Amino acid sequence: MRVPGRFEDHECTFITWPCLTDLEIKNFEKEIIFFIKKLSKYEKVIIIADPLNFINAKKNCENFSLVWSIPTDWSWIRDNGPIFVFNKNNKIEGIHFQFNGWGKKYFPCNSVKQMPKLLLKKLGIKRRVSNLILEGGGVTFDGKGTMVTTEQMLLNKNRNPNYSKKDIEIEVKKLLGIEKVIWLKKGLFEDKSTDGHVDCVAEYIGPGKILIQTIYNKQNPNYDILKDNLKIIQNETDAMGNKLEIIEMPYLPYFRNKYKNNIYTSPYTNYYIANGVVLVPEVDRRTDHKAYKIIEQVYPQRDILPVSSYYQAIGGGGPGCITQHLPKLNNEKI
């Protein structure tokens, strides 16, 4: 089995239409529509809409995307959708990990648990099921057998109380072809809702190359967390035994507008990379242009597009969280 990196070619991107469980749903919908319009100019977009929201999604987006009616009670398909892999015959399969509302913090989670099964059936893609609770935003892959995650999320007792670190490594090797897991300790201090997802602190750029969130301000509560993460990555090797090339993202932006008296961040590491484009959170003019310059240098052959992400942030995510990609197929059809 081989799980490709997010930076590899895509067949399409799946996005869940906002559900009744989402905050500020009308404003969230506007952000999603804007995002889909931008992305659809580069690759096919398929919207997963609960039957209750299907007509609304179709009315707003059918001119630039496909809209499929599949029951779900949560958006954030990165976390609750299937993860796609290539098997030994180079055919695509979907891994259906379990989902429990980010550690039993959010309800209801009835329809969303079956959504991967229904999506894979509609795609005609073989499904493999795991008892492991694993959210896609909590892992990043190099496409060559290495996975980076956080202990805070994947070893959390609110998700996998009966799995040891070794048990998890065995499971992801069997289902995803992972030969090496690099364990960071924690995600962002602010990331209470998902218990420290890795997509806010690290993202593979390519085999052997990773973008790592750091920060200059020693007074920021993330300073020590990010310093420890950097040290771990600096001392690790990947599945092929090689040291990683590290690119630091020293800018961690915060929205100036508070929501219910709380301040929110949308890390630049939580971008979404697609065919020919990288969609990056637009947060703070003081740092946006500096962060975009780093990402431009990382992806010189792709367009860099700023996207609104405020309502994603207050909901607990960003561009990397609202999306899930289907890797480019080999002579298969969807």
Side-chain angles (χ1 to χ4, degrees):
M1 309 296 281
R2 185 184 81 85
V3 57
R6 199 183 304 188
F7 46 81
E8 297 183 42
D9 289 344
H10 298 178
E11 188 72 26
C12 68
T13 292
F14 300 103
I15 295 176
T16 307
W17 187 254
C19 299
L20 296 177
T21 47
D22 287 309
L23 297 174
E24 299 288 342
I25 188 164
K26 290 301 179 184
N27 289 316
F28 189 24
E29 284 179 2
K30 290 177 183 177
E31 272 191 3
I32 294 295
I33 293 167
F34 175 83
F35 185 93
I36 294 170
K37 279 183 178 177
K38 292 272 190 181
L39 178 59
S40 66
K41 293 174 181 170
Y42 293 86
E43 67 181 59
K44 181 192 293 184
V45 179
I46 299 175
I47 298 172
I48 307 302
D50 185 81
L52 290 174
N53 304 321
F54 176 73
I55 293 175
N56 187 26
K58 193 171 178 63
K59 179 181 69 175
N60 281 285
C61 299
E62 66 177 344
N63 290 335
F64 44 86
S65 67
L66 295 176
V67 185
W68 290 355
S69 179
I70 297 177
T72 184
D73 34 33
W74 280 99
S75 50
W76 315 106
I77 196 167
R78 175 69 55 185
D79 290 346
N80 50 49
I83 293 178
F84 296 96
V85 299
F86 289 108
N87 63 23
K88 62 182 180 180
N89 298 316
N90 216 24
K91 298 289 186 181
I92 201 82
E93 296 184 5
I95 310 303
H96 185 173
F97 289 101
Q98 302 307 303
F99 178 74
N100 72 343
W102 299 278
K104 301 180 181 178
K105 290 194 286 294
Y106 301 97
F107 298 96
C109 287
N110 301 318
S111 301
V112 71
K113 292 180 179 180
Q114 297 303 313
M115 182 270 291
K117 176 181 178 180
L118 298 175
L119 175 58
L120 291 169
K121 183 178 180 181
K122 188 171 180 67
L123 290 166
I125 290 175
K126 182 178 179 179
R127 179 177 70 118
R128 292 181 184 269
V129 181
S130 172
N131 290 322
L132 183 70
I133 292 173
L134 183 149
E135 296 134 25
V139 290
T140 182
F141 308 106
D142 72 345
K144 298 288 185 181
T146 311
M147 179 178 99
V148 179
T149 188
T150 67
E151 294 181 2
Q152 182 185 0
M153 186 278 292
L154 204 48
L155 289 176
N156 201 308
K157 297 302 181 185
N158 66 16
R159 286 170 173 79
N160 296 302
N162 299 318
Y163 281 82
S164 67
K165 186 178 284 189
K166 186 65 176 177
D167 292 333
I168 291 173
E169 290 177 348
I170 291 170
E171 187 74 352
V172 296
K173 179 175 182 178
K174 178 178 70 175
L175 291 172
L176 303 175
I178 299 301
E179 298 292 340
K180 174 70 178 284
V181 180
I182 297 175
W183 294 90
L184 304 180
K185 297 296 182 185
K186 295 180 179 180
L188 288 183
F189 173 82
E190 293 85 0
D191 191 6
K192 304 291 196 298
S193 58
T194 68
D195 299 304
H197 271 188
V198 80
D199 58 9
C200 287
V201 295
E203 184 61 45
Y204 261 109
I205 298 162
K209 193 172 183 179
I210 194 165
L211 183 69
I212 292 290
Q213 181 71 62
T214 56
I215 195 166
Y216 293 123
N217 182 7
K218 293 185 178 181
Q219 305 307 312
N220 188 294
N222 288 290
Y223 181 80
D224 288 332
I225 294 171
L226 299 176
K227 186 178 179 181
D228 289 344
N229 285 347
L230 179 62
K231 187 179 293 185
I232 290 170
I233 289 291
Q234 287 173 333
N235 291 309
E236 277 285 4
T237 56
D238 61 19
M240 296 174 284
N242 299 319
K243 285 284 189 180
L244 298 175
E245 180 183 347
I246 300 167
I247 290 87
E248 292 186 43
M249 174 56 74
Y251 309 108
L252 181 60
Y254 292 85
F255 290 100
R256 296 189 182 190
N257 294 336
K258 293 183 178 181
Y259 179 74
K260 294 187 176 179
N261 212 34
N262 292 317
I263 299 173
Y264 289 86
T265 179
S266 186
Y268 300 116
T269 58
N270 197 6
Y271 58 74
Y272 182 61
I273 183 169
N275 298 337
V277 67
V278 184
L279 298 107
V280 190
E282 188 175 39
V283 185
D284 187 340
R285 291 180 181 177
R286 294 171 297 182
T287 54
D288 283 355
H289 67 287
K290 298 176 183 178
Y292 300 159
K293 188 172 182 179
I294 292 173
I295 296 173
E296 284 172 1
Q297 291 170 345
V298 169
Y299 297 110
Q301 304 303 318
R302 299 178 194 252
D303 295 335
I304 309 300
L305 297 184
V307 288
S308 302
S309 58
Y310 180 72
Y311 292 100
Q312 294 163 56
I314 67 173
C321 309
I322 61 173
T323 50
Q324 179 60 290
H325 61 288
L326 177 65
K328 188 71 175 176
L329 301 176
N330 299 304
N331 301 315
E332 299 171 76
K333 298 292 183 183
I334 60 168

